mmCIF file of all heavy atoms in Angstrom:
data_model
loop_
_atom_site.group_PDB
_atom_site.id
_atom_site.type_symbol
_atom_site.label_atom_id
_atom_site.label_comp_id
_atom_site.label_asym_id
_atom_site.label_seq_id
_atom_site.Cartn_x
_atom_site.Cartn_y
_atom_site.Cartn_z
ATOM 1 N N ASP A 38 -76.631 -109.365 -75.065
ATOM 2 C CA ASP A 38 -76.000 -110.646 -75.344
ATOM 3 C C ASP A 38 -76.236 -111.636 -74.175
ATOM 4 O O ASP A 38 -76.366 -111.209 -73.007
ATOM 5 C CB ASP A 38 -74.451 -110.453 -75.533
ATOM 6 C CG ASP A 38 -73.825 -111.624 -76.260
ATOM 7 O OD1 ASP A 38 -74.552 -112.414 -76.889
ATOM 8 O OD2 ASP A 38 -72.605 -111.786 -76.157
ATOM 9 N N GLY A 39 -76.286 -112.938 -74.519
ATOM 10 C CA GLY A 39 -76.385 -113.961 -73.520
ATOM 11 C C GLY A 39 -77.711 -114.685 -73.503
ATOM 12 O O GLY A 39 -77.946 -115.549 -72.640
ATOM 13 N N ARG A 42 -77.153 -118.602 -74.027
ATOM 14 C CA ARG A 42 -76.578 -119.292 -72.875
ATOM 15 C C ARG A 42 -77.565 -119.324 -71.712
ATOM 16 O O ARG A 42 -77.638 -120.300 -70.938
ATOM 17 C CB ARG A 42 -75.246 -118.593 -72.461
ATOM 18 C CG ARG A 42 -74.114 -119.017 -73.385
ATOM 19 C CD ARG A 42 -72.891 -118.101 -73.213
ATOM 20 N NE ARG A 42 -73.170 -116.810 -73.851
ATOM 21 C CZ ARG A 42 -72.515 -115.701 -73.580
ATOM 22 N NH1 ARG A 42 -71.546 -115.714 -72.672
ATOM 23 N NH2 ARG A 42 -72.819 -114.596 -74.239
ATOM 24 N N ARG A 51 -82.371 -122.224 -77.558
ATOM 25 C CA ARG A 51 -81.931 -120.839 -77.593
ATOM 26 C C ARG A 51 -83.091 -119.860 -77.861
ATOM 27 O O ARG A 51 -83.080 -118.782 -77.323
ATOM 28 C CB ARG A 51 -80.885 -120.690 -78.711
ATOM 29 C CG ARG A 51 -79.586 -121.499 -78.452
ATOM 30 C CD ARG A 51 -78.618 -121.402 -79.623
ATOM 31 N NE ARG A 51 -78.314 -119.981 -79.885
ATOM 32 C CZ ARG A 51 -77.373 -119.314 -79.232
ATOM 33 N NH1 ARG A 51 -76.658 -119.887 -78.300
ATOM 34 N NH2 ARG A 51 -77.175 -118.062 -79.545
ATOM 35 N N ARG A 89 -76.232 -117.659 -88.361
ATOM 36 C CA ARG A 89 -76.719 -118.625 -87.346
ATOM 37 C C ARG A 89 -77.612 -119.675 -88.027
ATOM 38 O O ARG A 89 -78.084 -119.466 -89.157
ATOM 39 C CB ARG A 89 -77.500 -117.906 -86.267
ATOM 40 C CG ARG A 89 -76.579 -117.007 -85.446
ATOM 41 C CD ARG A 89 -77.229 -116.566 -84.207
ATOM 42 N NE ARG A 89 -76.250 -115.777 -83.385
ATOM 43 C CZ ARG A 89 -76.417 -115.428 -82.160
ATOM 44 N NH1 ARG A 89 -77.515 -115.811 -81.484
ATOM 45 N NH2 ARG A 89 -75.471 -114.739 -81.499
ATOM 46 N N ARG A 204 -72.786 -103.852 -72.317
ATOM 47 C CA ARG A 204 -72.874 -105.160 -72.943
ATOM 48 C C ARG A 204 -73.105 -106.173 -71.835
ATOM 49 O O ARG A 204 -72.260 -106.317 -70.910
ATOM 50 C CB ARG A 204 -71.602 -105.530 -73.743
ATOM 51 C CG ARG A 204 -71.770 -106.883 -74.399
ATOM 52 C CD ARG A 204 -70.666 -107.287 -75.337
ATOM 53 N NE ARG A 204 -71.018 -108.515 -76.035
ATOM 54 C CZ ARG A 204 -70.717 -108.825 -77.302
ATOM 55 N NH1 ARG A 204 -70.028 -107.983 -78.003
ATOM 56 N NH2 ARG A 204 -71.099 -109.966 -77.812
HETATM 57 MG MG1 MG B 696 -73.913 -113.907 -78.205
#
Side-chain angles (χ1 to χ4, degrees):
D38 198 20
R42 282 165 286 161
R51 295 176 57 84
R89 292 195 177 192
R204 182 173 188 144

